[in-house]
Amino acid sequence: MAPAAMTNKIESTMAEGVFDPSQHLSFKAPSRVYTMDDIHLPRDTGVSTFAVSEPFPLFTTEAIKRMRSEVLTEKVFANCKYSSNLSQCQLRGFASQYAPFVYDAWKDPKTLAIISEVAGLELVPEMDFEIGHINISNNKTDAQKEEEAIAVAEKLAAEADEGIAGCPWEDDKPIVDWHTDSYPFVCVLMLSDCTNMIGGETALKTGDGGILKVRGPQMGCAVVLQGRYIEHQALRALGTTERITMVTSFRPKSPNARDDTVLTTVRPVSNLDELYFQFVEYRFEILEERIRQQLKAMRDAKRACRKFDTTATKAWIVQQLQFLDHMNKELVENDLVTTGVIDDSHLIHSNKKKVLTNGATHGATNGTKAESDRKLKNEGECDRVWKRARTL
């Protein structure tokens, strides 16, 4: 099919109907949900004891087709493409403007109720900019295809030796490197057909130094992870022409919940005007609601003829000052942010962070020729994988 015809075919489908939870959701509860205890981390590591779920059905095949038709368009690619040292090809911040079906699917109350049920905590999307983030991986070189064929043969031989299918097969090459997320929770949805996929797990570092691998989801299935607090990576998938995942980030709905959101892994791959506005907007809304609650409690106490609690009020003020100080640190000046360069300051455990030799902080680094070359290479790879994905 000619490129122009393919473009018309993809973009014409965008006008077909709206998201309908009765037709487009296919939720079945995950077979297992892991807790912080299960992965040997302290219970208070995150905002809840939830750690990660096994994959579960979330959206129908029709819904996935609609999402792909909105995502794999020239407008999205031209205006929302990013790459970094963590991931070669990403599409970000497009949903509200270019993908109404995707946007409505993740904002629908029934979808939010499902994600909250799995996580065991009422959640809302982190912000509109983080709805439907896309990671794309495909278009293998001849050398990679040869390596894959060898790996598949090794797996089949291992299965024959053990006399069973599905015995452990190790391939620890990541498509997204070790990291913690900027946001408390993520839901990772598979948009690709993974029928013949080998590997593709999400690997998590456990508190006892081990690795827990959660199997990759099939098309239309999802995994929920408290990714801000658990170091993880996406392992390479073999036997597939493409691997496209959609990641939507979430935070607790309650304004009184802890919010450890950082912008380290997203700042260098975002439209900063939009990212900063939405970050400050929702944090100010949280602060606004906290002040409203505090003011009501003070007035109720006054009407009940109780003494003003100076100690408690000062402690509350300190908490809000810390909240504001955290916001201020995350708003790195635009000219100090290098596009596509993500450092290790997002990692929760300080002993895992690497010290930058150029003295940069908060994901802001000075440009180098090596980084410039990497950026050009990633952009070329991103162009190729996107074009390949559109033809499937």
Side-chain angles (χ1 to χ4, degrees), residues 26-30 55-58:
S26 61
F27 173 65
K28 292 182 181 178
F56 58 92
L58 181 57

Side-chain angles (χ1 to χ4, degrees), residues 297-307:
M298 287 171 50
R299 286 170 173 165
D300 288 347
K302 180 67 174 178
R303 293 188 185 98
C305 298
R306 295 172 185 162
K307 291 184 178 181

